[in-house]
C-alpha cells in the first residue's frame, strides 16, 4: 500500500493578499505613532473637555425579588422606579447588571451601593457604578437596548 501525500498549498494570490493586509496594518500603525496622532478619547473625557452637561440623572438600586425578578428603586425617594418580572423582555438590563454585580463581587463590594443613570445634553446615556466607578456608555449597545435604560429615567415612581 502506497500513500500518495500531496502537500496542500494555499493559492499564491491568497498569500499575497494576507501579506498585503499585514503590511498595511503595520504601515498605518507606524504612521499614527510617528505623526503623534492622539487616540480617540473616551466619551466621558470628551464630555468633560467640551463641557457637556447632564440633562437628567437618577440614582437607582437594583434589588433581587423573591420571584427571581428585579425591583428597581429610586434611591432619592425609596420608591419603585420599575420592576423586571421573570421572563420579561429585559435581558439587556439583566445582562448589564449581572456583569456589574460580578465586578463588585470580585472587588469584595456588596450590592448596597447605588448606580447613577445619566442622560447627557449630547444625547448619550451612561450608567455609573458608584462603588467601582465603572461607567457604561449605553448608546454603544444600540437604540433598543439604550431605550430599556432610558425608560427608567422617564418611569414614574409608584408606591412599593
Amino acid at each position: 500500500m502506497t500513500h500518495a501525500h500531496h502537500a496542500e498549498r494555499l493559492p499564491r494570490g491568497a498569500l499575497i493578499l494576507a501579506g498585503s493586509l499585514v503590511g498595511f496594518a503595520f504601515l498605518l500603525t507606524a504612521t499614527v505613532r510617528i505623526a503623534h496622532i492622539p487616540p480617540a478619547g473616551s466619551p466621558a473625557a470628551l464630555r468633560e473637555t467640551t463641557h457637556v452637561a447632564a440633562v437628567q440623572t437618577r440614582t437607582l438600586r437594583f434589588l433581587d425579588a423573591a420571584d427571581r425578578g428585579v425591583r428597581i428603586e429610586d434611591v432619592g425617594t425609596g420608591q419603585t422606579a420599575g420592576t423586571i418580572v421573570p421572563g420579561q423582555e429585559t435581558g439587556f438590563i439583566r445582562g448589564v447588571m449581572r456583569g456589574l454585580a460580578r465586578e463588585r463581587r470580585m472587588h469584595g463590594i456588596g450590592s448596597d451601593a447605588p448606580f447613577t443613570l445619566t442622560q447627557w445634553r449630547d444625547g448619550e446615556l451612561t450608567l455609573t457604578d458608584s462603588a467601582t466607578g465603572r461607567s457604561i456608555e449605553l448608546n454603544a449597545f444600540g437604540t433598543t437596548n439604550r431605550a430599556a435604560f432610558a425608560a427608567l429615567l422617564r418611569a414614574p415612581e409608584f408606591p412599593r
Side-chain angles (χ1 to χ4, degrees), residues 9-131:
R9 298 173 55 147
L10 290 174
R12 180 179 171 98
L15 290 173
I16 291 171
L17 180 61
S20 297
L21 286 173
V22 170
F24 178 72
F26 178 75
L27 180 65
L28 193 59
T29 302
T31 302
V32 168
R33 299 278 286 173
I34 291 169
H36 300 291
I37 298 172
S42 70
L46 291 174
R47 277 194 295 273
E48 186 176 326
T49 303
T50 58
H51 307 291
V52 174
V55 174
Q56 185 178 8
T57 62
R58 196 166 195 187
T59 305
L60 303 168
R61 187 171 287 122
F62 294 78
L63 306 164
D64 291 327
D67 66 353
R68 296 181 34 107
V70 176
R71 187 173 74 82
I72 305 166
E73 176 186 88
D74 183 301
V75 173
T77 64
Q79 300 296 314
T80 299
T83 54
I84 300 172
V85 297
Q88 186 178 354
E89 290 296 321
T90 51
F92 179 65
I93 292 176
R94 281 183 180 274
V96 168
M97 299 317 298
R98 194 174 299 125
L100 291 170
R102 184 179 319 113
E103 185 172 354
R104 283 182 173 187
R105 281 192 305 276
M106 287 180 358
H107 289 94
I109 300 171
S111 62
D112 291 338
F115 297 87
T116 303
L117 184 60
T118 306
Q119 171 73 50
W120 300 95
R121 189 180 328 127
D122 64 0
E124 297 290 319
L125 185 66
T126 59
L127 181 68
T128 304
D129 184 344
S130 65

Side-chain angles (χ1 to χ4, degrees), residues 92 123-125 137-150:
F92 179 65
E124 297 290 319
L125 185 66
E137 298 293 329
L138 298 167
N139 288 40
F141 296 98
T143 56
T144 304
N145 290 328
R146 179 193 182 283
F149 274 97

